[in-house]
Amino acid sequence: MCSKPDVPEPFHHRAAARRVVVTGLGAVTPFGVGVPDLWRGLLEGRCAIRELTGEEFTGLPVRAAGTVSVDLAGLLPRPQARRMNRAAQFGVLAAREAWRDAGFDGSGTAASGLSPDRVGVSVGAILGDASVLVGGDRSLREKGPRAVSPLTTPMTVPSQAASQISLALRITGEARTVTSACASGTEAIGQAIDRIRYGHVDVALAGGAEAVVTPAIMASFAAMRALSTRPAGDLPSRPFARDRDGFVNGEGAGFLLLESEEHARARGARVYCEAAGWGLSADAHHMAAPDPSGTGVALALHRALWDAGGSPADVVHVNAHATATIDGDLAEANALRAVLGTTPAPVTALKGHLGHLQGAAGGVEAVATVLTLHHGTIPPTIGCAEGEQDEAIDLDVVRGGPRALPGHGDLALSNSFGFGGHNAVLALRGRSAG
């Protein structure tokens, strides 16, 4: 007969909702390892999309991708790196940066004076790293079962990034993985906000990590006619432009260090902004295509504003999902006009710079949105120059160079939408966060 578990006090009586703030940022992107490289590349309006030159990509109809060109081997201890898939390596590097940026000791929870069971990890990933399973299958077919590494299974699961981050920093509160297509990273951040709000943990690393630039994935996306057919040097990802013809596959990781405001204030932490709210919805329309009316997206936007205690008039900036697909960009624009009015806040889209980082996109774009609020500067959208915006996209798209945030309001929205109709929106509050 089971005895009644000894449940910590916060789980007996659900605490009143606490404010959640962002105190650390980390990123690994096609611009390089680290948030400074990401922010500099965005402000300078550079494109980090490259041509895939490996032999395994020869013959593919599309070879442009947003890849991380940095050699990760020297950035992680070799014994650890050997047991991580590529997405987990991205995740650990980005999470460590966010951890240190928040003022914690890089060796983990104990050295930082934290109770490990009051810290959590929340990671968005679609597949994590698809190449491990493919490689294991190839070894089996070519050399037999003895050639298959025992690490194949633990390195294949999408949850590997979350588990490796928890191992690296000795985090025992929880290590969750969210899989909701390209909305995964944003939903992972939203779930972490709620875990802190209601007392389950005090601190959380939340974001996304993905490494799916593989021949089979590229070929599949190309067969769907979802990818841009332009070469890497021709700004292939063109969000909101008349001549947009598809997205560009990418990889990387982006993380926020979230904590309750009282926890952050007690330790004198620097606060970037408030993680004020988030919203979810489902299109229930098609296995891949978005609902062209944008009603599902609009519902997620409404819910994020409601959760943040804000209104459309409070929104000063939108970091759009905008993959540069014909239907997706238009559906998002329709939703933004419906929710925010006929003159929505300035909008920017980052996939022209980076490509579409899949499950990591929401994490990286959340990092950029936090920086936009923190610095009061909106990065430009590239691939959609003056005079090239689709007339049906009736939005104020920031182009040509960075722009100062409007002087009114305090909310910024970061949008993520995925195959199958997954919609997630994060609402961040700037000036009032202190």
Side-chain angles (χ1 to χ4, degrees):
M1 182 174 181
C2 295
S3 60
K4 184 177 180 180
D6 182 16
V7 182
E9 183 63 24
F11 294 91
H12 283 306
H13 304 289
R14 201 177 201 201
R18 303 185 292 180
R19 289 181 75 192
V20 180
V21 296
V22 180
T23 58
L25 303 173
V28 175
T29 73
F31 281 130
V33 175
V35 169
D37 283 353
L38 168 65
W39 189 237
R40 189 180 309 113
L42 295 178
L43 292 181
E44 292 175 358
R46 289 189 277 113
C47 178
I49 294 168
R50 303 174 177 87
E51 200 77 11
L52 297 170
T53 57
E55 182 180 349
E56 68 271 29
F57 297 105
T58 301
L60 290 182
V62 174
R63 288 189 295 167
T67 55
V68 177
S69 60
V70 177
D71 182 6
L72 304 178
L75 302 178
L76 292 163
R78 185 175 295 275
Q80 294 178 24
R82 286 183 59 250
R83 289 169 171 78
M84 296 184 204
N85 64 34
R86 186 170 172 83
Q89 291 176 0
F90 292 157
V92 168
L93 288 169
R96 278 193 182 277
E97 182 186 17
W99 185 261
R100 292 193 181 101
D101 187 44
F104 294 127
D105 189 291
S107 57
T109 50
S112 301
L114 297 171
S115 297
D117 61 341
R118 300 298 299 162
V119 183
V121 179
S122 184
V123 181
I126 304 174
L127 296 173
D129 182 350
S131 67
V132 178
L133 186 60
V134 172
D137 182 68
R138 182 182 297 117
S139 296
L140 176 65
R141 286 185 285 107
E142 294 178 356
K143 301 178 182 179
R146 290 182 179 273
V148 179
S149 167
L151 296 174
T152 300
T153 297
M155 289 176 62
T156 295
V157 293
S159 59
Q160 218 224 4
S163 65
Q164 288 292 338
I165 293 167
S166 72
L167 280 167
L169 296 169
R170 305 309 301 166
I171 293 168
T172 64
E174 56 190 35
R176 64 178 55 234
T177 300
V178 176
T179 300
S180 53
C182 308
S184 299
T186 296
E187 184 174 345
I189 295 170
Q191 290 197 17
I193 290 171
D194 279 352
R195 300 299 285 175
I196 295 171
R197 272 177 171 171
Y198 300 114
H200 297 278
V201 294
D202 300 316
V203 177
L205 282 161
E210 200 82 76
V212 291
V213 181
T214 64
I217 298 294
M218 293 290 292
S220 173
F221 281 147
M224 292 170 64
R225 299 185 179 179
L227 296 180
S228 171
T229 58
R230 293 186 177 87
D234 193 25
L235 294 178
S237 179
R238 303 188 177 192
F240 299 132
R242 280 194 305 271
D243 59 353
R244 64 190 186 279
D245 69 336
F247 70 85
V248 171
N249 194 19
E251 63 181 7
F255 278 82
L256 308 184
L257 193 291
L258 303 169
E259 51 187 310
S260 70
E261 183 183 37
E262 63 202 32
H263 190 277
R265 299 298 185 194
R267 67 183 188 88
R270 178 266 331 275
V271 173
Y272 281 108
C273 66
E274 180 189 358
W278 66 298
L280 285 178
S281 71
D283 281 356
H285 173 74
H286 188 271
M287 67 175 290
D291 182 343
S293 72
T295 54
V297 171
L299 178 58
L301 289 164
H302 275 301
R303 286 176 168 169
L305 288 173
W306 176 86
D307 196 41
S311 71
D314 298 323
V315 179
V316 292
H317 169 56
V318 178
N319 191 302
H321 182 66
T323 60
T325 58
I326 298 295
D327 293 338
D329 287 11
L330 186 57
E332 185 173 12
N334 289 339
L336 287 171
R337 286 198 305 272
V339 175
L340 302 183
T342 55
T343 55
V347 175
T348 197
L350 307 186
K351 291 181 177 66
H353 303 78
L354 303 169
H356 188 349
L357 308 190
Q358 307 299 327
V364 170
E365 288 161 11
V367 169
T369 308
V370 170
L371 291 170
T372 294
L373 285 172
H374 182 66
H375 294 294
T377 303
I378 306 171
T381 301
I382 66 171
C384 182
E386 191 69 36
E388 295 179 354
Q389 184 171 327
D390 185 346
E391 292 82 357
I393 305 289
D394 187 16
L395 299 175
D396 179 13
V397 178
V398 178
R399 295 187 298 260
R403 185 194 300 182
L405 278 176
H408 60 82
D410 60 2
L411 281 180
L413 305 177
S414 183
N415 296 345
S416 294
F417 316 122
F419 283 161
H422 299 278
N423 305 311
V425 176
L426 180 65
L428 301 166
R429 178 168 283 114
R431 297 176 184 87
S432 63

